[in-house]
Amino acid sequence: MLRLSSPNKGFGLILPISLAFVGAAAAFYEIFGESKDSQIYLQYFDYMISKPSCFGEGIFNFEIGFETTSCFVSSILKSSTLVYSFFVFVSLLLKLIVLFLTLLNTKSSKLNIKLCSFLSVFLYFSRFFPLHELTQIRASLSIAFILVGSLLLLQGSNLNKQVSKINPFALLMYFIAFLFHISSILILPFLLISFYIKSRKDIIVYSIIIFIFIKLFFLQILVNFGVELNPRLNEYVDAPIYLQPVSLFSPRRGLDVFLIIIGLRNFNSQKRYYKFYLSVFTFSIISLYSLMDTPVFAHRLSEIMQVFGVLLVAVMRYKSQLIFTIPYVVIVSFLSIYAFFYTDEFFG
C-alpha cells in the first residue's frame, strides 16, 4: 500500500494536505474567476441536493461513480460550492500524495529533492490545476485515481525490471477512475505498454507503432464499440471542431518534445519510475499528433497523460537534465498561466 515513510521526513502528509486546502479554497472563493464548466457542476450539485434520491432522470448524463459520490457528498455538505471544493481537495490531495511518494522513493540529495519538489508542484499548479480542478473536475478525479493506481503498480515492482505482479488495489483504482470519467479507459493500453519499456529503443519503436495504429484504427474501433458505451461519443466524432484544432507548432508542444529529448538522453541508466513516467509523457504527445483530425479525443487523451510530465520532473536527478528542466518549467508555466487567465479561453 502507499506509505509516506522516508528518510526525508520533512514532507509527510502535512504539505500535501496544506496545498490541497489552498487549491480547495481557491475553488471555493473563485479567486481566479469563474471557469466555463464550473457553473454546470454547481447547477448539478444544486440539483443533487434537491433530489429525493440519488438516481433520477439522468439530466446531466454523468458517469455513475461521479453521480453516486456527488449525491452522497451533497447530502452531507448541502452546498454546491462546498461540494465542488471538496472534490477539488480530494483530487489535489491524491495527486500530491503520489507526487511526494515519487520524490521520496527516488534516491537523491536533499537539495535535488527539494528543487524537484518545488518545480513539479509549481508546474502542476500553473499548467494543470486551472484546467483540471477548476474546469474538468470529473476528469481530474479520474486522473487522480489513475496516478494512485500507477504508483501502486510501480511500488509492487522491481525498480530496475518489469512489473513483477499485478496489485489488485491498483486495478481497483483504475476501475474507479473509469467510473468517474469514461475516457480514462483509453489510456490504460498506454500505461500497460509503459510498464514494460526498458530502453530508448523500446520507447521509439512503440511510439511509431502507436502513431500508426491510432491513425489507421482508432476512430474505427471507437465508432464500432465506444459509442455503444457512451452515445455522446458520436457528437465528438461528427463534430471535429468541437475543440480548438491541434497545432503542430504550439510553443508548449515544442517544449514538451524538448523535455522528452532531454529525458531520453539518460534513459537507459534510469530507474523504473523515471522510465514509466517518461514513456507515458511521450505517448501523450504521440496521441495528440496522431489524433489531430479529432481534436476532442486528441486533447482529452493527451491532457490526461501529460500530467505524468509533472512526475517526470519530480524524478529528474542528473545536473545536465535539471539545467534544462528549470527553464522548461518556468516557460511552460508562464505560457499556461497566460493562456488560462489572460485569453478568456477558460475564465471570464
Side-chain angles (χ1 to χ4, degrees), residues 76-120:
I76 297 174
L77 297 182
K78 301 294 185 181
S79 164
S80 59
T81 308
L82 278 177
V83 175
Y84 193 97
S85 302
F86 171 81
F87 281 130
V88 169
F89 175 80
V90 171
S91 174
L92 276 175
L93 182 61
L94 290 176
K95 292 174 183 175
L96 290 167
I97 287 175
V98 170
L99 172 60
F100 285 112
L101 279 171
T102 297
L103 284 159
L104 298 178
N105 280 282
T106 306
K107 294 181 180 179
S108 186
S109 67
K110 290 184 178 180
L111 179 61
N112 272 6
I113 289 179
K114 289 181 179 179
L115 175 60
C116 289
S117 63
F118 172 79
L119 290 174
S120 51

Side-chain angles (χ1 to χ4, degrees), residues 219-275:
L219 283 181
Q220 183 179 354
I221 293 173
L222 191 69
V223 171
N224 291 339
F225 300 102
V227 173
E228 293 185 10
L229 292 174
N230 188 351
R232 291 181 64 192
L233 292 178
N234 254 333
E235 302 174 16
Y236 303 148
V237 174
D238 296 335
I241 60 172
Y242 183 78
L243 279 180
Q244 62 184 27
V246 177
S247 172
L248 278 173
F249 305 105
S250 163
R252 278 185 290 179
R253 300 292 167 258
L255 288 165
D256 288 343
V257 172
F258 175 74
L259 183 66
I260 291 170
I261 293 172
I262 296 301
L264 287 172
R265 181 182 177 188
N266 303 109
F267 188 84
N268 292 342
S269 62
Q270 293 283 9
K271 301 295 184 181
R272 178 70 263 163
Y273 282 77
Y274 182 94
K275 291 181 179 180

Side-chain angles (χ1 to χ4, degrees), residues 5-267:
S5 58
S6 166
N8 304 285
K9 295 180 180 178
F11 291 123
L13 276 170
I14 296 177
L15 189 53
I17 291 175
S18 301
L19 290 172
F21 265 120
V22 170
F28 182 83
Y29 291 107
E30 293 185 338
I31 62 174
F32 297 117
E34 182 182 296
S35 74
K36 291 184 177 181
D37 288 357
S38 64
Q39 285 303 308
I40 296 175
Y41 284 111
L42 291 175
Q43 292 171 16
Y44 172 69
F45 296 140
D46 282 330
Y47 170 71
M48 296 300 283
I49 291 170
S50 64
K51 283 179 62 177
S53 65
C54 286
F55 302 99
E57 301 83 359
I59 295 174
F60 290 85
N61 198 27
F62 291 147
E63 289 81 358
I64 188 171
F66 182 73
E67 286 199 350
T68 303
T69 307
S70 297
C71 182
F72 176 74
V73 176
S74 298
S75 67
I76 297 174
L77 297 182
K78 301 294 185 181
S79 164
S80 59
T81 308
L82 278 177
V83 175
Y84 193 97
S85 302
F86 171 81
F87 281 130
V88 169
F89 175 80
V90 171
S91 174
L92 276 175
L93 182 61
L94 290 176
K95 292 174 183 175
L96 290 167
I97 287 175
V98 170
L99 172 60
F100 285 112
L101 279 171
T102 297
L103 284 159
L104 298 178
N105 280 282
T106 306
K107 294 181 180 179
S108 186
S109 67
K110 290 184 178 180
L111 179 61
N112 272 6
I113 289 179
K114 289 181 179 179
L115 175 60
C116 289
S117 63
F118 172 79
L119 290 174
S120 51
V121 169
F122 181 68
L123 179 62
Y124 183 82
F125 273 89
S126 60
R127 183 171 187 176
F128 296 105
F129 173 68
L131 173 65
H132 290 155
E133 274 74 22
L134 299 185
T135 308
Q136 303 171 352
I137 190 61
R138 285 160 44 238
S140 180
L141 289 163
S142 180
I143 293 168
F145 287 111
I146 286 172
L147 294 180
V148 173
S150 299
L151 185 62
L152 284 169
L153 283 183
L154 285 170
Q155 288 195 330
S157 66
N158 186 309
L159 296 185
N160 293 304
K161 298 180 180 178
Q162 298 176 355
V163 176
S164 55
K165 60 181 179 179
I166 300 298
N167 188 320
F169 290 103
L171 298 180
L172 176 62
M173 292 299 104
Y174 289 144
F175 180 68
I176 293 174
F178 172 76
L179 294 180
F180 273 85
H181 206 290
I182 193 171
S183 64
S184 61
I185 197 172
L186 297 176
I187 82 159
L188 294 184
F190 298 97
L191 299 179
L192 179 62
I193 294 171
S194 298
F195 277 118
Y196 291 95
I197 284 180
K198 296 185 289 185
S199 67
R200 272 193 297 263
K201 181 180 178 181
D202 288 344
I203 198 169
I204 294 171
V205 170
Y206 278 113
S207 294
I208 295 172
I209 293 173
I210 288 171
F211 183 86
I212 295 173
F213 179 84
I214 291 178
K215 272 292 186 184
L216 295 179
F217 303 112
F218 178 80
L219 283 181
Q220 183 179 354
I221 293 173
L222 191 69
V223 171
N224 291 339
F225 300 102
V227 173
E228 293 185 10
L229 292 174
N230 188 351
R232 291 181 64 192
L233 292 178
N234 254 333
E235 302 174 16
Y236 303 148
V237 174
D238 296 335
I241 60 172
Y242 183 78
L243 279 180
Q244 62 184 27
V246 177
S247 172
L248 278 173
F249 305 105
S250 163
R252 278 185 290 179
R253 300 292 167 258
L255 288 165
D256 288 343
V257 172
F258 175 74
L259 183 66
I260 291 170
I261 293 172
I262 296 301
L264 287 172
R265 181 182 177 188
N266 303 109
F267 188 84

Side-chain angles (χ1 to χ4, degrees), residues 127-128 253 256 280-281 284-285 288 299 301-310:
R127 183 171 187 176
F128 296 105
R253 300 292 167 258
D256 288 343
V280 179
F281 187 63
S284 74
I285 304 302
L288 183 73
H299 287 291
L301 188 59
S302 65
E303 285 167 1
I304 292 176
M305 293 194 290
Q306 280 173 21
V307 177
F308 284 88
V310 175

Side-chain angles (χ1 to χ4, degrees), residues 265-325:
R265 181 182 177 188
N266 303 109
F267 188 84
N268 292 342
S269 62
Q270 293 283 9
K271 301 295 184 181
R272 178 70 263 163
Y273 282 77
Y274 182 94
K275 291 181 179 180
F276 175 74
Y277 294 144
L278 180 60
S279 299
V280 179
F281 187 63
T282 301
F283 296 154
S284 74
I285 304 302
I286 298 298
S287 64
L288 183 73
Y289 288 150
S290 58
L291 287 169
M292 290 183 62
D293 295 335
T294 52
V296 173
F297 296 110
H299 287 291
R300 177 66 69 197
L301 188 59
S302 65
E303 285 167 1
I304 292 176
M305 293 194 290
Q306 280 173 21
V307 177
F308 284 88
V310 175
L311 298 172
L312 176 62
V313 169
V315 295
M316 290 284 186
R317 289 296 174 261
Y318 293 108
K319 290 182 180 179
S320 59
Q321 292 176 322
L322 288 172
I323 288 173
F324 295 104
T325 302

